[in-house]
Amino acid sequence: MTAPAAEHAPTGERPDPPPTEAPHDAEADDARQAAAALDELRRPVLGRTRLAVALAAVGALAALVPFAGLAALGDLLLADGPLDRAAVVTVAVAVSAGLLARGLLLGTALSITHFADVDLQAHLRRCIVRRLGRVPLGWFGERTSGSVRKAAQNDIAALHHLVAHHAVETTAATVLPLGGLAYLLWLDWRLALLALGTLPLYALAYAWMMRGYREKAARLDAATTRISSAVVEFVTGIGVVKTFGRARSAHEAYRAAAEEFGNFYADWVRPMLRVEALSAMLISAPVVGLLNLLGAVWFTAQGWVTPVDAMTGFLIALVIPTTVVALGFGAQDRRTAAAAALRLRTLLDTPELPVPAEPRTPEGGAVEFDGVRFGYGPGGEVLRGVDLELAPGTVTALVGPSGAGKSTLATLLPRFHDVTGGAVRVGGVDVREVDPEALYRSVGFVLQDVALVHGTVADNIRLGRPDATDDEVVAAAKAARIHDRVLDLPDGYDTVDALFSGGEAQRVAIARALLADTPVLVLDEATAFADPESEAAVQDALSELARGRTLLVIAHRLRTVVGADRIAVLDEGVVVERGRHDDLLALGGKYARMWTAQEGEQR
């Protein structure tokens, strides 16, 4: 059976965009969203940033005092008559005070923004942890660990320079030249124009270099995400790929991602190198100094300015290149930070698992799938009207071909996802009406891909019940047939990050489920990674785990579920058969054909 094609199809065709819509509108809209996201994320430290900006502005103005002092000193030295020593001392004190004030104010401002950056990063990481702790568990299966790590680590780090440096340094880099130019205008307007002589050419070169920056920055971010994911997957999967002799292909996949990143970055940067060199030369100190020196000689020869004023203009002009570079890097840092902020905002806006306003508590271990429908997206439904009841204390097995929807149906019970139709009930209560923490006290799960967290063996077993005693941990380990293996470890139950085989890790997970003592349990092919020597031990542990509990077992090998109280056969998202092993064989349907095929393969 297949879902009707029109069930999720649009009722009409999407209208064409208005003819007046320009391609750059989307880019401008993205830029506005990124800027808004950046402003929102920076809001917790906005007050401290403004204070730092005010201090930086005053510090930058204080930096002009030495220039005025040098001009005054020049006038004193060139004046006719005896040298006014008291005036010289006064100028020297003023210059020293200006330099000291500049250093103290800018240093204080940077200290404020650095502490603000630390607080903001801690705040954002706490927000991310809280959000990721509330999203549906199925959300993690739809994303690579590399992309999540990039958002939680790299994107937050991308905000550092903007928060800790940008506001202070940009303010200083803006106020200092503006104050200097104002001073030059007061001396002679020609000196102000001369100080800005090379800036128009630099601005044209810079504008040419920044063509299409947003699009290329987005591609660069995508390439960074891919290479980050490739690194994580290569490192975490190296043991498996080596075992199967695929280390070279895994290395080639990582190398391909690295080469793609390198080629893209080189193609982007290479054409800009000559223009960048030219633009950098236009605002370099030698070029700016030479231009202003020639201009100062000319202006002095024409009698427009005094030699002292010409020297002051020359010195202030040398400040312009450093401030322009700071402003250029600041603008780029802001664009990078804005893009990172938009990704962080998207992550923080990830829909949480809805929590009921008035949660109910399940009573007992009865499970009911009532007309369950589910789809991962607009591509179609995976489950289409599944009805299934699991009586307390029984074992129900889900079997069927790959892609039939077995794992999807099972994950709806611990609410990895919410159904799109129908209901899943535990103890007579819809799982959507149960608080997630209460639900996980009623429904446990042992997945085929066992995850052991960093910590001791005891910590891993206690994961579902942190307050369990040592005796209870040992009792659970014994029941899971893993106790003897733990005692062989260097520090027993206190061994940190112990190395277990696949079957041993699954028995640790079973011990964890035993200790949690949930009335309902989901087992997703719990013997999938067990080696032949430990499979019997895993089966014994599962038998111990099944006592008195409602079990939903996903099985690929039919021999492992022949003793189940009920077997449900899924095919294309619906239950096509149900019953005990012998009854299904006698029926001669889908299950019987699967059994015959698997038995033939084993022979």
Side-chain angles (χ1 to χ4, degrees):
M1 297 177 65
T2 57
E7 187 166 343
H8 290 280
T11 55
E13 294 185 359
R14 185 185 301 272
D16 293 333
T20 57
E21 183 179 356
H24 66 271
D25 286 348
E27 182 177 326
D29 185 58
D30 289 343
R32 286 191 294 268
Q33 292 182 18
L38 181 60
D39 292 340
E40 181 182 353
L41 293 185
R42 294 170 62 194
R43 191 169 296 134
V45 297
L46 187 58
R48 283 179 282 179
T49 302
R50 287 173 175 171
L51 173 60
V53 165
L55 294 176
V58 177
L61 291 176
L64 292 174
V65 174
F67 293 104
L70 289 175
L73 183 61
D75 288 335
L76 289 172
L77 294 175
L78 296 177
D80 296 332
L83 180 64
D84 188 346
R85 297 182 182 277
V88 172
V89 172
T90 301
V91 170
V93 171
V95 170
S96 300
L99 292 174
L100 180 62
R102 176 187 179 278
L104 287 176
L105 291 171
L106 291 180
T108 301
L110 286 172
S111 296
I112 291 173
T113 54
H114 273 78
F115 280 113
D117 173 60
V118 171
D119 291 342
L120 180 62
Q121 290 200 27
H123 168 71
L124 290 176
R125 287 195 168 96
R126 284 194 294 267
C127 290
I128 289 175
V129 169
R130 283 196 297 269
R131 177 65 61 159
L132 295 184
R134 296 171 183 169
V135 301
L137 293 178
W139 181 88
F140 294 95
E142 300 168 1
R143 288 157 180 81
T144 64
S145 56
S147 62
V148 176
R149 182 194 66 82
K150 182 182 182 300
Q153 183 174 330
N154 296 11
D155 286 340
I156 289 180
L159 301 179
H160 162 74
H161 198 277
L162 187 79
V163 176
H165 297 271
H166 174 78
V168 171
E169 294 176 358
T170 301
T171 299
T174 303
V175 172
L176 179 59
L178 289 179
L181 289 173
Y183 181 64
L184 292 181
L185 282 172
W186 179 72
L187 292 177
D188 189 279
W189 62 270
R190 285 175 285 255
L191 291 175
L193 290 180
L194 185 61
L196 299 175
T198 60
L199 283 184
L201 295 177
Y202 172 82
L204 290 174
Y206 186 80
W208 188 91
M209 286 192 302
M210 298 308 295
R211 294 178 306 164
Y213 175 83
R214 296 191 186 280
E215 177 188 354
K216 291 174 181 176
R219 290 174 57 194
L220 178 64
D221 176 68
T224 303
T225 300
R226 285 193 293 272
I227 195 171
S228 179
S229 299
V231 171
V232 173
E233 292 168 4
F234 177 72
V235 173
T236 56
I238 189 62
V240 175
V241 298
K242 278 192 171 182
T243 300
F244 291 94
R246 303 293 294 174
R248 182 172 181 178
S249 62
H251 181 269
E252 290 175 350
Y254 164 70
R255 186 173 61 185
E259 288 180 351
E260 178 189 4
F261 176 84
N263 291 336
F264 163 73
Y265 192 74
D267 291 342
W268 179 14
V269 172
R270 192 179 296 114
M272 295 193 300
L273 291 180
R274 292 182 180 177
V275 179
E276 183 180 13
L278 175 62
S279 63
M281 183 182 68
L282 289 172
I283 58 169
S284 64
V287 173
V288 173
L290 179 60
L291 176 65
N292 279 266
L293 182 60
L294 295 176
V297 172
W298 178 32
F299 292 172
T300 303
Q302 296 295 322
W304 296 335
V305 298
T306 67
V308 172
D309 291 342
M311 178 191 71
T312 304
F314 172 79
L315 293 176
I316 291 178
L318 291 179
V319 176
I320 301 294
T322 58
T323 57
V324 169
V325 171
L327 289 174
F329 278 116
Q332 183 174 349
D333 289 336
R334 182 176 177 84
R335 284 190 293 267
T336 301
L342 184 59
R343 292 189 295 272
L344 286 169
R345 184 69 270 166
T346 301
L347 177 63
L348 292 171
D349 287 341
T350 301
E352 297 181 357
L353 193 68
V355 177
E358 298 181 1
R360 301 172 59 190
T361 303
E363 297 181 2
V367 175
E368 179 185 4
F369 294 92
D370 182 9
V372 169
R373 309 181 77 89
F374 178 76
Y376 289 101
E381 289 186 317
V382 179
L383 301 172
R384 299 177 292 109
V386 175
D387 294 305
L388 191 63
E389 294 184 3
L390 284 64
T394 63
V395 177
T396 301
L398 292 178
V399 302
S402 297
K406 305 183 296 298
S407 295
T408 299
L409 181 64
T411 57
L412 297 179
L413 183 54
R415 208 180 170 197
F416 281 29
H417 304 278
D418 276 341
V419 298
T420 54
V424 179
R425 300 184 183 92
V426 175
V429 181
D430 192 317
V431 295
R432 291 169 293 186
E433 300 177 9
V434 182
D435 185 86
E437 292 187 7
L439 179 62
Y440 297 143
R441 289 194 294 269
S442 297
V443 180
F445 41 90
V446 178
L447 305 178
Q448 59 176 322
D449 189 8
V450 177
L452 299 182
V453 300
H454 170 68
T456 66
V457 177
D459 291 337
N460 273 275
I461 296 176
R462 279 197 183 96
L463 200 58
R465 224 180 95 199
D467 59 344
T469 65
D470 291 342
D471 291 340
E472 289 173 326
V473 170
V474 171
K478 287 181 177 178
R481 309 298 192 270
I482 194 63
H483 174 70
D484 293 339
R485 174 69 181 93
V486 174
L487 293 183
D488 290 337
L489 296 172
D491 297 317
Y493 285 89
D494 293 326
T495 303
V496 177
D497 294 341
L499 297 177
F500 289 112
S501 67
E504 291 166 349
Q506 284 171 325
R507 279 180 276 162
V508 172
I510 292 171
R512 180 191 298 165
L514 280 166
L515 192 61
D517 196 25
T518 57
V520 180
L521 192 64
V522 178
L523 303 178
D524 186 357
E525 194 59 45
T527 61
F529 295 129
D531 49 85
E533 291 76 11
S534 63
E535 184 172 1
V538 173
Q539 291 289 3
D540 291 341
L542 291 175
S543 299
E544 184 71 28
L545 187 62
R547 292 180 184 177
R549 293 179 174 83
T550 304
L551 255 68
L552 179 62
V553 180
I554 302 171
H556 300 282
R557 289 179 290 180
L558 302 184
R559 277 185 170 272
T560 62
V561 295
V562 293
D565 298 297
R566 174 183 286 185
I567 300 173
V569 183
L570 266 70
D571 191 18
E572 296 186 0
V574 296
V575 177
V576 294
E577 295 174 359
R578 68 188 77 198
R580 296 182 65 88
H581 171 72
D582 293 337
D583 298 332
L584 292 175
L585 286 181
L587 189 63
K590 184 75 174 181
Y591 181 85
R593 292 192 295 273
M594 292 171 58
W595 176 267
T596 301
Q598 288 191 11
E599 289 297 297
E601 290 177 359
Q602 292 182 3
R603 294 194 187 97

